[in-house]
Amino acid sequence: MTKELLIYIDGEYYPRSQAKISVYDHGLLYGDGVFEGIRAYNSVVFKLKEHIDRLYRSARVIMLDVPLTKEEMMNDILETLRKNNLRDAYIRLLVTRGVGDLGLDPRKCPKPTVIIITDVIKLHSSEAKEKGIRAMIVWVKRDPVDATSHEVKSLNYLNSILGKIEANIAGFDEAICLDKNGHISEGVAENLFIIRNGRIITPPTSTGALVGITRDIVMKLAEKLGYEAVEGTITPTDLFTADEAFFTGTAAEVVPIVEVNKRVISNGKPGPITQRLMKEYEGTVRDPREGTPIYQ
Ligand code: PXG
């Protein structure tokens, strides 16, 4: 039998089958908490500091005091990876409101729960990257910025899950969510980009989209390659008639979109600029200067 992965809960390590939290944790009862999804490539945690900064920003919005300093949090993540002898990994970091009673009042939860799961990465099919994916604009609107929008990376993902279910039952690879004005916001766990006349455009976070770390990196890479990369309003028609389109995300990396609601994007093949950005991104995630080494 292979050795079980160790999971960090509040400073202690538990084998995966023993890693459990209370049913009174408000992370479970109310989705009250924040999280990050981070990757390590070749013994280096990619953009660890940026993910930690975002976690603490999310926590600030929901007035959750993370019981560790950023330095301690980063060290505990690296230690969890070392305990599991991982080099290429998917890291799920959660801070929940902690154990309270059955009422939703967060003041009843004296101590937040910190969970670090480090696991092997399940790669997306290389077919999706090579051939591109078929996406569907769904009826579920992205929560607006004056609600539980994805600007905060919270444990409330039902908005995304409803979108995903619609794409699943309709037989599409991925869902695209609109904001309440009908503008494109993002995928369910990915930011979205279109390319038109060599200009690279992504929706602003005012559509309720997450400030994706991959999104930022891809915009910088695009500029380095000499393209203009901007935030801008994208309508469904803009997307249907784009020269190229792609998703970005920590798990997905850069994935071409070749069809939206059965409208074929351009010639139905991953576009040349998208392919260039995919290649650049692959190089960046494996650049040791872009992350934090697990083993010193
Ligand atoms: N939008 C949303 C709503 C997300 O949840 C992104 C965009 C892309 O952001 P990053 O910073 O990753 O470029 C996300 C990211 C998972 C999983 O297991 C989800 C995300 C990241 C990693 C894993 O579902 N969400």
Side-chain angles (χ1 to χ4, degrees):
M1 199 184 91
T2 48
K3 204 164 155 277
E4 276 191 82
L5 283 165
L6 293 175
I7 316 285
Y8 171 110
I9 305 175
D10 292 333
E12 306 284 338
Y13 293 91
Y14 302 88
R16 184 187 154 128
S17 59
Q18 312 295 318
K20 295 170 182 172
I21 61 159
S22 166
V23 293
Y24 281 86
D25 192 302
H26 280 209
L28 175 69
L29 287 177
Y30 297 107
D32 186 357
V34 292
F35 81 103
E36 278 296 322
I38 314 171
R39 277 180 77 165
Y41 296 85
N42 199 19
S43 302
V44 176
V45 184
F46 184 59
K47 300 285 178 195
L48 177 59
K49 193 172 173 312
E50 286 77 355
H51 281 280
I52 296 298
D53 284 343
R54 187 170 66 184
L55 180 87
Y56 281 69
R57 280 201 303 276
S58 296
R60 178 182 290 260
V61 178
I62 69 162
M63 300 187 82
L64 176 65
D65 281 327
V66 182
L68 299 173
T69 65
K70 288 185 183 179
E71 200 65 30
E72 288 167 339
M73 185 67 91
M74 286 195 272
N75 286 335
D76 287 355
I77 290 171
L78 296 171
E79 183 59 23
T80 309
L81 287 160
R82 286 193 287 264
K83 281 214 184 312
N84 289 307
N85 203 18
L86 288 165
R87 287 166 201 286
D88 290 276
Y90 179 73
I91 302 153
R92 171 64 58 92
L93 173 59
L94 295 87
V95 185
T96 76
R97 189 73 67 181
V99 175
D101 62 19
L102 291 179
L104 64 76
D105 191 340
R107 289 176 299 188
K108 299 283 178 57
C109 308
K111 195 172 137 294
T113 306
V114 180
I115 300 167
I116 305 169
I117 306 170
T118 61
D119 210 331
V120 290
I121 181 91
K122 288 177 196 68
L123 291 173
H124 283 234
S125 74
S126 53
E127 202 186 329
K129 291 244 163 89
E130 275 159 35
K131 294 193 176 153
I133 61 172
R134 293 158 49 252
M136 177 197 187
I137 297 173
V138 295
W139 61 265
V140 189
K141 298 289 173 281
R142 187 96 303 196
D143 285 331
V145 290
D146 53 356
T148 50
S149 102
H150 278 296
E151 287 174 293
V152 171
K153 206 162 162 56
S154 82
L155 295 179
N156 264 283
Y157 256 57
L158 205 48
N159 185 255
S160 279
I161 290 163
L162 283 175
K164 185 74 183 171
I165 287 170
E166 285 309 299
N168 287 350
I169 60 182
F172 287 81
D173 302 316
E174 194 53 289
I176 295 171
C177 300
L178 304 177
D179 70 8
K180 65 180 175 187
N181 298 314
H183 298 145
I184 305 285
S185 177
E186 59 174 352
V188 294
E190 309 90 4
N191 290 109
L192 183 144
F193 286 79
I194 63 165
I195 304 175
R196 183 187 296 283
N197 299 327
R199 252 175 120 233
I200 298 170
I201 310 164
T202 191
T205 53
S206 54
T207 60
L210 180 77
V211 193
I213 288 169
T214 318
R215 172 185 186 268
D216 278 357
I217 295 165
V218 165
M219 287 177 93
K220 290 198 182 93
L221 288 176
E223 276 167 9
K224 202 182 82 187
L225 294 175
Y227 300 106
E228 192 189 348
V230 293
E231 283 188 352
T233 301
I234 301 173
T235 65
T237 298
D238 291 334
L239 178 56
F240 295 147
T241 59
D243 298 331
E244 302 182 30
F246 60 90
F247 281 129
T248 63
T250 298
E253 301 180 320
V254 180
V255 183
I257 303 169
V258 292
E259 231 184 84
V260 178
N261 295 52
K262 300 276 184 193
R263 277 78 165 175
V264 176
I265 307 290
S266 192
N267 63 358
K269 299 208 166 75
I273 301 176
T274 305
Q275 283 177 319
R276 253 188 110 181
L277 290 169
M278 287 167 75
K279 207 158 157 276
E280 283 291 317
Y281 186 76
E282 269 173 37
T284 305
V285 293
R286 285 171 183 82
D287 181 343
R289 291 166 303 180
E290 300 287 347
T292 308
I294 303 170
Y295 305 94
Q296 303 283 357

